[in-house]
Amino acid sequence: QKEVEQDPGPLSVPEGAIVSLNCTYSNSAFQYFMWYRQYSRKGPELLMYTYSSGNKEDGRFTAQVDKSSKYISLFIRDSQPSDSATYLCAMSVGSARQLTFGSGTQLTVLP
Amino acid sequence: EAQVTQNPRYLITVTGKKLTVTCSQNMNHEYMSWYRQDPGLGLRQIYYSMNVEVTDKGDVPEGYKVSRKEKRNFPLILESPSPNQTSLYFCASSLFSIRALNSPLHFGNGTRLTVT
């Protein structure tokens, strides 16, 4: 069993929809939780970062961590075609560097 | 512009022919790392370096070498490439200090390697 599981999709939604992306994990020692966005033919870029449980909001994006259920989510409100990308969850024990990544969910937002 | 630069972007080679993928960063980051990305497997760490002359194995180091002679450069070396090393490779860098535990990784734009 992988340490981090992520539904690969692909996920296709109409513009303006609310998108929910999820990851589950098995290592209870994970403390740092991140979401990276990867556009086609580009490297991943950090989108959201949270430490420990709870919610964090940044514009149209909300990251949610439920450590009791070992479950993290990324919500995108009012999705735009420019949000079309692969979203990777990532997490680590001791720092934001030594990361274990999910396999990524490919999202397409249709105009 | 702050960036991580990888070269080449695309590379096709044959089994056994030694190759090097270069990585350079201009952010004065201590920490650098190499990943490979494969469908369904996500990003897996090959090697990482916490500073000059300090390198360590990641999750999938077999068949790869690295060196860190200068802070800005972290080349990935495949001494005898095999078809199972066909993949998309990413270099990344970050600050490394006790005060920068949450410093994020900055990634290059990838090198697509095909070994025939």
Side-chain angles (χ1 to χ4, degrees):
Chain A
Q1 184 193 4
K2 292 182 191 175
E3 270 193 298
V4 179
E5 298 276 2
Q6 184 175 7
D7 187 339
L11 183 61
S12 187
V13 301
E15 184 175 353
I18 296 174
V19 176
S20 171
L21 305 169
N22 310 296
C23 288
T24 59
Y25 63 94
S26 58
N27 187 349
S28 57
F30 284 141
Q31 298 184 78
Y32 295 83
F33 302 93
M34 277 141 279
W35 287 94
Y36 278 80
R37 179 175 61 195
Q38 184 177 14
Y39 290 115
S40 180
R41 287 187 284 279
K42 295 286 189 181
E45 56 179 348
L46 183 66
L47 187 62
M48 296 284 287
Y49 161 80
T50 55
Y51 175 73
S52 196
S53 282
N55 289 2
K56 184 175 182 179
E57 191 172 317
D58 184 2
R60 297 184 294 109
F61 299 90
T62 300
Q64 193 173 76
V65 174
D66 182 347
K67 292 186 77 176
S68 63
S69 302
K70 298 192 182 69
Y71 189 87
I72 71 170
S73 300
L74 177 71
F75 298 96
I76 308 174
R77 291 184 299 280
D78 187 25
S79 56
Q80 303 294 309
S82 58
D83 296 327
S84 298
T86 296
Y87 290 81
L88 302 154
C89 64
M91 46 199 82
S92 74
V93 174
S95 75
R97 290 179 293 272
Q98 292 299 109
L99 300 175
T100 300
F101 283 87
S103 55
T105 299
Q106 185 180 347
L107 171 68
T108 301
V109 181
L110 302 168
Chain B
E1 181 189 351
Q3 59 186 0
V4 178
T5 303
Q6 295 179 228
N7 280 297
R9 289 294 308 274
Y10 301 92
L11 181 57
I12 301 173
T13 191
V14 296
T15 299
K17 186 175 181 183
K18 180 180 178 180
L19 65 92
T20 299
V21 183
T22 64
C23 174
S24 180
Q25 50 92 5
N26 62 1
M27 295 169 280
N28 203 34
H29 285 167
E30 297 88 0
Y31 181 90
M32 297 186 75
S33 182
W34 276 102
Y35 292 84
R36 60 178 290 174
Q37 187 175 34
D38 302 288
L41 297 176
L43 283 157
R44 294 179 293 166
Q45 191 178 50
I46 302 170
Y47 269 95
Y48 64 96
S49 168
M50 289 188 283
N51 215 324
V52 176
E53 302 292 2
V54 180
T55 63
D56 211 343
K57 296 177 181 179
D59 298 318
V60 288
E62 294 78 19
Y64 304 95
K65 283 176 56 177
V66 292
S67 70
R68 188 88 183 276
K69 293 187 172 59
E70 306 165 279
K71 198 172 186 179
R72 63 182 292 126
N73 296 324
F74 191 44
L76 179 69
I77 302 153
L78 285 72
E79 294 268 4
S80 183
S82 62
N84 65 10
Q85 293 178 298
T86 292
S87 187
L88 180 58
Y89 291 86
F90 288 100
C91 180
S93 73
S94 173
L95 288 170
F96 181 79
S97 76
I98 201 71
R99 292 186 297 277
L101 287 177
N102 59 351
S103 177
L105 284 171
H106 297 261
F107 284 86
N109 283 329
T111 295
R112 185 166 291 282
L113 172 66
T114 302
V115 184
T116 62

